[in-house]
Amino acid sequence: MAQKNRLPDGGRIDRTKPVRFQFNGKRYDGFSGDTLAAALLANGVSLVGRSFKYHRPRGIMTAGSEEPNALVQLGTGARTEPNIRATQAELFDGLSADSQNCWPSVGFDIGAINSVMSKYLPAGFYYKTFMWPASLWMTYEHVIRNAAGLGKGPTESDPDRYAQHHTACDVLIVGGGPSGLAAALAAGRSGARTILVDEQSEFGGWLLTDDTEIDGMAPTDWVANTVKELAGLDNVTLLPRTTVSAYFDHNFLTAAQRVTDHLGPQENTKTPRQRFWKIRAKQVVLAQGSLERPIVFADNDRPGVMLAGALRTYINRYGVLPGREIVVFTNNDSAYRTAIDAKNAGAVVHLVDLRPDPDNPVVHQARQAGIQIHEGSAVVGIKGAKSIHGVEIAPLSEDGKSLAGPTFVVSASLVAMSSGWNPSVHLFSQSRGKLRFDDALTTFVPDHTPQKTRSAGACNGTFTLAGCLAEGMEAGAAAAKDAGFDSAIAGPSHVVKEDAPGSMRQVWTVPTVHPLGKGTRKHFLDHQNDVTAADVHLAAREGYLSVEHLKRYTTTGMGTDQGKTSNVNALAIMSEIRSASIPEVGTTTFRPPYTPTTYGAMAGQGVQELFEQYRGTAMHDWHVNNGAVFEDVGDWKRARYYPKPGEDMDEAVRRECKQARETVGIMDASTLGKIDIQGPDAAKLLNMVYTNAWSALKPGRARYGLMLNEHGMVFDDGVTTCIGENHYHMTTTTGGAARVLNWLEEWLQTEWPDMEVYCTSVTEEWAVATLSGPKAREVMEAVAPKMALDPQTFPFMAMQEGEVAGLPARVFRISFTGDLSYEINVPARYGMALWEALMEAGRPHGIVPYGTETMHVLRAEKGFIIVGQDSDGTVTPYDLDMDWIVSKKKDDFLGKRSLTRTDTARPGRKQLVGLLTEDPNFVLPEGAHLVKEVKPKPPMDTIGHVTSSYFSPNAGRSIALALVKDGLNLKGSSFQVPLMSGHVETVTITDTIFFDKEGERARG
Amino acid sequence: MSKYSIFSLIRNAGSYHENWQRAWRSPDPQPEYEVVIIGGGGHGLATAYYLAKECGIRRVAVIEKGWLGGGNTGRNTTIVRSNYLLDESAGIYEHSVKLWEGLSQELNFNVMFSQRGLLHLAHNVHDMQEIGRRGNAIWLNGIDSEFLTPEQVKEMVPLMNINGRYPVLGALLQRRGGTARHDAVAWGYARAADALGVDIIQNCEVTGFDIKNGVVQGVRTTRGDIKAKRVGVVTAGHSTVMADMAGFRMPLESLPLQAMVSEPIKPCIDTVIMSNAVHVYVSQSDKGELVVGAGTDAYISYAQRGGFDMMEHIMGPLVELFPFTSRLRMLRQWGGIVDVTVDRSPILSKTPVEGLYFNCGWGTGGFKCTPGSGHVFAHSIANGEMHPIAAPFSIDRFNTGALIDEAAAAAVAH
Amino acid sequence: MLQITCPWCGEREGIEFHCHGEAHIARPENSAEMSDAEWGDYVFFRKNPKGVHYERWTHDAGCRRWFNAIRHTVSDEFIAVYKPGEAIPELPEKYRDPASNRTGAPQSKETK
């Protein structure tokens, strides 16, 4: 299909590389180097999408990332992306895009009924209605939600990959236009590690559109030379297609690089689709340029109304003339260049200038070129809705508030507008920079920032090319100097011949034939969110005067463009209404990111199999190969049970529990936290961090301890063993390992620096297999023939070092099951060998591997607590009925004083008890509550809750532990446990030991 | 106050919307009020509203340093729920949810309270024990509470990946939980309070207190001294700044908390989803943005901004739990200052200065309690005695040890 | 994201560090004689100044050592870092605010 608006020559597109694409199902042709917007305009497509609220037909307004209107759904299936700016999407062969937020089609959209109803839908209408009847709100909301929302998200996993990249540099330069390129030359030549970032596909910025010569060269030639020089410098990194998205503290900036987006879907997904840069820069030069302001006039949202600079870009950079009859509407000189270029490209051009007497060289040039100039006039309306047929023009009164003569219509299909330029101060503001309002430029410019950053060029309010180049050079050199480099070799300054910019005339709201808000014509401010000038007046009338209230009430600046084209206009109109200056009205905070940033890119490589990698023990593969079902405990994967074919969890656990008590079980206990503690003051440390006394513990002996925080609450427990003189091996809970080590270090380093103690995490150094059960000693005898295993030499709570299965080992006679147990520690690399040897040696004795679930049952049968399950951070040792472990003799230990506070020492606190259900086969759900009295329905007063609950094959019934108010005084009493299912179970409070009450088995 | 309704909207459309009244006045401060509320966020405005509406105290001023609702009210992720474990918490948060349920009508301002349901996901055995305990506690407190299987979760949220690194083993659902429109809450209370005669004074900063013999006499502000025998301080992250002016200590730290929204897309997530193990919570606003919250930075900061790492930490989890979000884009991120107590429960309390009341320490979860907190705080100030629902949240608990420790109750260890 | 100078390792990324709140709170040695309120003050009450703050950090992903820092809680600027036990650095003139003394500067040179 012919590209009817493509100029016969010119532009930076590659006409030797035609590209085919689809839009709304229709096929079109474009060229390599086009954006989707350029190609659509080349093909005469001006209606691209529908607006958020009124579903007004919309076209293409800009040529960059600030586009509010031309948002499309790009691609299909797993790779579909909503809200892509057609002005940024580079064309590739096979690209397919669709209009969004319209049904059934962009041409005929049912949602446009909202536009007809628009007089009933002013800013904030939803706060005033949908309240009756109250019960219908969820229905109203359903309708509202479906009407809102722009494009559609994908519903499948993303087939593409992303990467994160960390780097540091001396000078980071944001923006590759004239100022940025000049800055890069200066910094690069100094030898500073320099990164130059630009969001577009090629460097040059405005120079790719403009024709002002630099050093006697065409600007594009100067760009090419400059980029060539920079590319040849090893210390310079060039990042096109990269958007610096955010500026954080201490010169930390993030940037999103679009690596393959311009190529379309890639077969080879090893190359990341986007790369997310995290950059720590010694110095930053911001050279982001500026964004053109739209004029707020009636019907300024019609497809075919675009920014003057954008039109010039389409003509010069893309070789597209989107209309043959063009009205250029301006308040400043810059749009004259657009008019002249359009005229030269073959268009009939009318210039409508708000200024009554523009008088600059460029004005004369335009006149000489045969362009009709309507001075002191304005565009006051547009003929046509989905496209433009004509433009209404009228002279303006001196105050700009009314029309000073009759309107007339000129035939046109395109309007190019310019109300001046706003420096891109977004990143500067994010850097905590303070802005200053420049009255001459009628816009905000950078003032000062606490960070090491400089603004140069248009983003600093400098709008001449010579000024941009000079400022860029200076900023680049100064940044390099401050980063410690010799900037004397920055290079010569550049020679540019240009005219000084003329004056501007601000008419913040251009009047039309009817008063604002009282006719069919709307003055749009925020095109995406359909906020009009009348909405600002309404907000002011209702008292939403603060700029933040204005923004939030009208939603101006809240769209995907974050107000890049609308914010200053909205502020200006509010300032007129309030008769206050614009700086008095203020400006909203610019929030990151500069443009929307892909979540996948920010997540980087850390997704799917690389999302929080698990920790496995040395014996992990054995568990996998033997059918273990795992549970997540922190980062660890722990074997939970080992089902035999056909077994469910209950069956497997009952079998494991029985067998472990009858013969011998083996469990992988490697995940327990282990800390090696050495030094002359080690016992002193233990005395402070544990509640019980440690001074008398002899080498080769172990002791159980509880740790309290300073609130007096239990936060970890474990067995610590004296390995030798001034040498201890501490164990912690699996989840508490890091916390306990940090706890010890905190006190040692900050409070007790005089103690000579060294703590080292050895969790990963040791693999631990626990043998437990009556036959445990027989298995040990088989694998450790040289060890003395008789109970006299190697009693309960003792440790000895020796050889197990030919491996160097520490064996602890400690028990979490209440049975004869050996915890065998070997260096982690021998873990698998140990495990296999124990299995082998245990086979004649009927050894059974058991997992954490069986461990939980076995320990509960003995009433051994699990910190974090039977205690919860609000429980003291006394609450656990463990008075015996709190030393009465020690002067102090961590948390001691808290135990005597009025509430902590209060009788009747929740205390740990055992529960027996009336029905011995009924297993209470963990978390079920005991109540004072069962009522037909809640609320019911509760007195406690079940912390652990299992069927105990060894007790032959269900058992439970619970925290119950005053529980220790209620033993023997019965209470009821109501469940959501309607079942009510009666329970009797008991002690916490359900098996081997005498505790002989472990000592045997 | 002229009533908002579909009819007033149509009527005003006829006059080009030129006759709408101001939502609230901008009065100059009077020399004296019965009660001065410091802080024009949701909690402060709600307090003023209930003082005027229910306590018969109409000479009330709300003093706001900046603009109404500009603090955490306008910066949070708008989640409302009352599925708390402890009786004290359930008491105040459920009181609040009940007020939410009639709030749009009460204020004649649509706060868009959307009871779309709220899911707490359980990803491991410990999580299952935690929701088991909490779900039963909530239910027995007379609050709605349901356990869901992974299959039921998938049915409610089809785009969720329930078989990831931390598979979904179950969930706790509160159907009455959901979201509300945060700005509307501040504006609705402001408009309704103003209509009852409350003076709302913006751009007025408190610079000190007038205290004689341990009794508050009034406040000093950038717009002059204002006398009041009763002063309520509801200043969130700046509470210790106020306490310092009054000469006592508050057990609070002010930490940065960040959140973000995606670009708006068509509806894809219809409930609020919270996951502790995967570290993400997400909902979709009526506008279509995915609203995602991050954790607090660990250092004190009054900068209303935080570090990128806190945002980054939720990206992996977000994509893990919702793989479709990988191709969506973050539109905006922002930060607020949350005032955090050691037990993660708020402080509603008398202070060492007679007549001076503090309402603070809401940490990361204050928005949901805006109506409830304002309601009981108003009654406490009016009666000179803390309302029974507020009483357990006294500052004395840090001396007696009677903490209300929701966080510790969910402690992870094994 | 902050950039922090560890007194042992030098300048490092903020993600390597963790903040632990107010510095220079000595653990009472006479806790048995303290009232509940005095003990509660030690355990729970911290300065939370809007301005200069003396605080504790650890270099978790580096040397794992604790150190002290003086930081401004509005600008997040690190004014000084120093090792435990070292004298508290003198506050530069521009940060001295008589009003912040009540909340900011430590009362004693005892270090924790």
Side-chain angles (χ1 to χ4, degrees), chain A residues 786-803:
Chain A
K786 291 182 200 157
M787 269 192 182
L789 295 164
D790 63 284
Q792 287 69 40
T793 331
F794 192 20
F796 184 55
M797 297 309 276
M799 183 280 300
Q800 64 171 304
E801 292 178 286
E803 235 175 51

Side-chain angles (χ1 to χ4, degrees), chain B residues 146-209:
Chain B
E146 288 170 54
F147 296 115
L148 297 192
T149 63
E151 294 71 32
Q152 290 171 309
V153 171
K154 184 76 182 170
E155 202 180 313
M156 275 189 92
V157 195
L159 292 178
M160 188 191 295
N161 170 22
I162 62 167
N163 296 312
R165 164 72 177 85
Y166 300 109
V168 173
L169 304 184
L172 183 62
L173 169 66
Q174 184 180 23
R175 290 194 190 270
R176 287 163 63 244
T179 59
R181 173 85 188 108
H182 54 10
D183 293 325
V185 179
W187 300 340
Y189 272 117
R191 173 168 167 266
D194 177 90
L196 293 169
V198 171
D199 281 355
I200 297 166
I201 301 157
Q202 300 183 71
N203 300 309
C204 177
E205 186 171 355
V206 169
T207 55
F209 292 94

Side-chain angles (χ1 to χ4, degrees), chain B residues 232-306:
Chain B
V233 176
V234 200
T235 54
H238 282 75
S239 296
T240 57
V241 176
M242 292 291 126
D244 287 342
M245 285 179 191
F248 51 82
R249 309 230 291 163
M250 274 293 182
L252 294 171
E253 289 189 317
S254 296
L255 307 177
L257 178 67
Q258 298 176 83
M260 63 173 184
V261 292
S262 73
E263 292 185 314
I265 53 170
K266 292 293 178 192
C268 58
I269 295 179
D270 298 331
T271 54
V272 184
I273 293 135
M274 311 182 79
S275 164
N276 291 338
V278 182
H279 299 298
V280 69
Y281 53 102
V282 62
S283 65
Q284 189 174 19
S285 74
D286 285 349
K287 205 180 161 195
E289 300 155 329
L290 296 185
V291 184
V292 187
T296 53
D297 277 296
Y299 54 85
I300 295 169
S301 178
Y302 288 83
Q304 291 194 326
R305 58 195 274 140

Side-chain angles (χ1 to χ4, degrees), chain A residues 959-975:
Chain A
I959 58 170
L961 300 174
L963 282 165
V964 177
K965 283 180 192 166
D966 206 22
L968 296 175
N969 290 321
L970 293 172
K971 286 184 185 165
S973 312
S974 289
F975 292 92

Side-chain angles (χ1 to χ4, degrees), chain B residues 32-37 47 51 57 59-62 227-232 381-382:
Chain B
E32 183 168 2
Y33 291 93
E34 269 186 83
V35 178
V36 164
I37 301 298
T47 305
L51 276 168
I57 301 177
R59 286 178 51 235
V60 177
V62 177
K227 284 192 170 58
K229 290 278 198 246
R230 281 174 282 181
V231 176
I381 293 172

